[in-house]
Amino acid sequence: MTRVPDEGLILVPGGTLITETPEEGRALAIAMVRNTVHTIQPELEALQAGRAQYATDAGELIAAVQTVSMEFQTIAAANHYWR
Amino acid sequence: MTRVPDEGLILVPGGTLITETPEEGRALAIAMVRNTVHTIQPELEALQAGRAQYATDAGELIAAVQTVSMEFQTIAAANHYWR
Amino acid sequence: MTRVPDEGLILVPGGTLITETPEEGRALAIAMVRNTVHTIQPELEALQAGRAQYATDAGELIAAVQTVSMEFQTIAAANHYWR
Amino acid sequence: MTRVPDEGLILVPGGTLITETPEEGRALAIAMVRNTVHTIQPELEALQAGRAQYATDAGELIAAVQTVSMEFQTIAAANHYWR
Amino acid sequence: MTRVPDEGLILVPGGTLITETPEEGRALAIAMVRNTVHTIQPELEALQAGRAQYATDAGELIAAVQTVSMEFQTIAAANHYWR
Amino acid sequence: MTRVPDEGLILVPGGTLITETPEEGRALAIAMVRNTVHTIQPELEALQAGRAQYATDAGELIAAVQTVSMEFQTIAAANHYWR
């Protein structure tokens, strides 16, 4: 078994929810989802098998995006919606 | 493998959550969902296969709309609900 | 293939989230969900097949209502909950 | 085919989100979910078949409660959480 | 058929969303989910069968926790997050 | 049957939603999800079987992260987003 590198296990990369732009906020949402997946399942081999599974399954791909949408709700509120 | 064109990978098209009307806000929600899908799965062939799958599966179609609803919650709040 | 009529593709019917009553707000939530479904899948034949599927599947019916509940959260907030 | 009686199709029973107590607010959430189900699927026979299905399926029962939880979030906010 | 006892059908046990501590708020969230399940399905035998099913199914167990998380969002807001 | 140790059953570990950093807030979200799972299913053997199941199932892994995202929405709001 190979373990995800340490930087892949940081739950809030950058240590803050504040970003300069919505684009960076969205990228942070994706990174938070990815690293939480890593924290729950840190075995690279299992992650790669799961990746092959959900990236070609429309239902699971949509569920992955929903998770990003939830994080983005939090990040957008933190940034007063970059108004 | 063909890759999604670069403009399909912009996470927040237009770079802002602020729109003039609810209709444009809803269209932005759809675009954000679509481009996040592209970012997670940038292979056109896989996307087209997934599209054929979820567009004829009522359950997955509903899940896709739920994702749009979540983004729209964020966008509507950003725009003070266009009151 | 028959395409959904144009009025079925308006994402926010009426062009505003503001309604006079909670009842109208709830009806708007249903209309927004329906028309977003139409926008993602504009082929009438596929929609009718999907309708037959989810209207008799308890799980998918519940998922459809969840989507309405999400839109209604947004619409209710927009209307200060009609207090 | 038998149709759900008219009172079962009122989307917001009582016409307001304001209730005197949390208990009544929760009951309203359940009624709103139920009547939205009726509006999407008004055939009594299909509803009774669906009821038999989800009431004995733990996953669908949980999904039904999630829908109630979402409505309750809205109703509780409308009532300033009955503080 | 045996029916759930009356106290298991109170939708908001204690009649208020206000609690002294986060721990009690979380316990209330669990109780609200449980009693809403009871209200939708009041037959003890069906509940016990469902319990055996979801308690050993990881996906349904996670869905049950999601429902608790939603109630807790409401309860935490009601209590100004016990700040 | 072996029971989860008592500290694994504390619903809000630390007794507060307030944390010093987003990283700690995210870790609290994971701990709250985990301990709520324990409270609903306190049998260690069933938990270990479920763990083997969802950690290799992409769909269930994503659902687990969604639950964390929901808790984090609450915790982030409690902390004024650590602005």
Side-chain angles (χ1 to χ4, degrees):
Chain A
M1 163 198 153
T2 317
R3 201 162 165 282
V4 172
D6 279 357
E7 70 264 28
L9 298 165
I10 298 170
L11 293 166
V12 183
T16 175
L17 300 179
I18 308 306
T19 69
E20 290 217 359
T21 62
E23 187 76 14
E24 289 171 37
R26 191 80 175 176
L28 175 58
I30 294 175
M32 283 171 61
V33 168
R34 190 189 54 223
N35 286 12
T36 302
V37 169
H38 293 169
T39 300
I40 298 179
Q41 172 52 281
E43 299 180 28
L44 262 183
E45 291 79 6
L47 288 170
Q48 283 158 355
R51 163 82 198 173
Q53 183 188 331
Y54 89 77
T56 55
D57 181 305
E60 292 183 6
L61 202 48
I62 292 167
V65 179
Q66 279 185 3
T67 321
V68 172
S69 307
M70 284 180 195
E71 302 296 357
F72 189 66
Q73 288 183 332
T74 308
I75 294 167
N79 288 280
H80 297 299
Y81 305 97
W82 302 274
R83 273 187 210 118
Chain B
M1 162 196 153
T2 318
R3 201 162 166 282
V4 171
D6 278 357
E7 71 264 28
L9 297 166
I10 297 169
L11 293 166
V12 183
T16 175
L17 301 179
I18 308 305
T19 70
E20 289 216 0
T21 62
E23 186 76 14
E24 289 171 37
R26 191 80 175 174
L28 176 58
I30 294 175
M32 283 171 61
V33 168
R34 191 189 53 222
N35 286 12
T36 302
V37 168
H38 293 170
T39 299
I40 298 179
Q41 172 52 281
E43 300 181 28
L44 261 183
E45 291 79 7
L47 288 169
Q48 283 158 355
R51 164 81 198 173
Q53 184 189 330
Y54 89 77
T56 55
D57 181 305
E60 292 183 5
L61 202 47
I62 292 167
V65 179
Q66 278 185 4
T67 322
V68 172
S69 307
M70 284 179 196
E71 303 296 357
F72 189 68
Q73 288 183 332
T74 308
I75 294 167
N79 288 279
H80 297 299
Y81 305 97
W82 302 275
R83 274 188 209 116
Chain C
M1 163 198 151
T2 316
R3 201 161 165 283
V4 171
D6 278 358
E7 71 263 27
L9 297 166
I10 297 170
L11 292 167
V12 182
T16 176
L17 300 179
I18 308 306
T19 68
E20 289 217 0
T21 62
E23 187 76 13
E24 289 171 36
R26 191 80 176 175
L28 175 58
I30 294 175
M32 284 172 61
V33 168
R34 192 189 53 222
N35 287 12
T36 301
V37 169
H38 292 170
T39 299
I40 298 179
Q41 171 53 281
E43 299 180 29
L44 261 183
E45 291 79 8
L47 288 169
Q48 283 158 354
R51 163 82 199 172
Q53 184 188 329
Y54 89 76
T56 55
D57 182 305
E60 292 183 5
L61 202 48
I62 291 167
V65 178
Q66 278 185 5
T67 321
V68 172
S69 307
M70 284 179 196
E71 303 296 357
F72 189 67
Q73 288 182 332
T74 308
I75 294 167
N79 287 280
H80 297 300
Y81 305 96
W82 301 274
R83 272 185 210 120
Chain D
M1 162 197 152
T2 317
R3 201 163 165 280
V4 171
D6 278 357
E7 72 263 29
L9 297 166
I10 297 170
L11 293 165
V12 182
T16 176
L17 300 179
I18 309 306
T19 69
E20 290 216 358
T21 62
E23 187 76 14
E24 289 171 37
R26 191 81 178 174
L28 175 58
I30 294 175
M32 283 172 60
V33 169
R34 191 189 55 222
N35 287 13
T36 301
V37 168
H38 293 170
T39 299
I40 297 179
Q41 172 52 281
E43 299 180 29
L44 261 183
E45 291 80 6
L47 288 169
Q48 283 158 354
R51 164 82 198 170
Q53 183 189 330
Y54 88 77
T56 55
D57 181 305
E60 293 182 4
L61 201 48
I62 291 167
V65 178
Q66 278 185 4
T67 321
V68 172
S69 306
M70 284 179 195
E71 303 296 357
F72 189 67
Q73 288 183 334
T74 308
I75 294 168
N79 288 279
H80 297 300
Y81 304 97
W82 301 275
R83 272 185 211 119
Chain E
M1 161 197 155
T2 318
R3 202 163 165 280
V4 171
D6 279 356
E7 71 265 28
L9 298 165
I10 297 170
L11 293 166
V12 183
T16 175
L17 300 179
I18 308 306
T19 69
E20 290 217 358
T21 63
E23 187 76 14
E24 289 171 36
R26 191 82 176 175
L28 175 58
I30 294 175
M32 284 172 60
V33 168
R34 190 189 54 222
N35 287 13
T36 301
V37 169
H38 293 170
T39 299
I40 298 178
Q41 173 52 281
E43 299 179 28
L44 261 183
E45 291 80 6
L47 288 170
Q48 283 158 354
R51 164 82 198 171
Q53 184 189 330
Y54 89 78
T56 56
D57 180 306
E60 293 183 4
L61 201 48
I62 291 167
V65 178
Q66 278 185 4
T67 322
V68 172
S69 306
M70 284 179 196
E71 303 296 357
F72 189 67
Q73 288 183 333
T74 308
I75 294 167
N79 287 279
H80 297 300
Y81 304 98
W82 302 276
R83 273 186 209 118
Chain F
M1 162 197 152
T2 317
R3 202 162 165 281
V4 171
D6 278 357
E7 71 265 29
L9 298 165
I10 297 170
L11 293 166
V12 183
T16 175
L17 300 180
I18 308 306
T19 69
E20 290 216 0
T21 63
E23 187 76 14
E24 288 171 37
R26 191 80 176 177
L28 175 59
I30 294 175
M32 283 171 60
V33 168
R34 190 188 56 222
N35 287 13
T36 301
V37 169
H38 293 170
T39 300
I40 298 178
Q41 172 51 281
E43 299 180 29
L44 261 184
E45 291 80 6
L47 288 170
Q48 283 158 354
R51 164 81 199 173
Q53 184 189 330
Y54 89 78
T56 55
D57 181 305
E60 292 183 5
L61 201 48
I62 292 167
V65 178
Q66 279 185 4
T67 322
V68 172
S69 307
M70 285 180 194
E71 303 296 357
F72 189 67
Q73 288 183 332
T74 308
I75 293 167
N79 288 280
H80 297 298
Y81 305 97
W82 302 275
R83 271 185 211 120

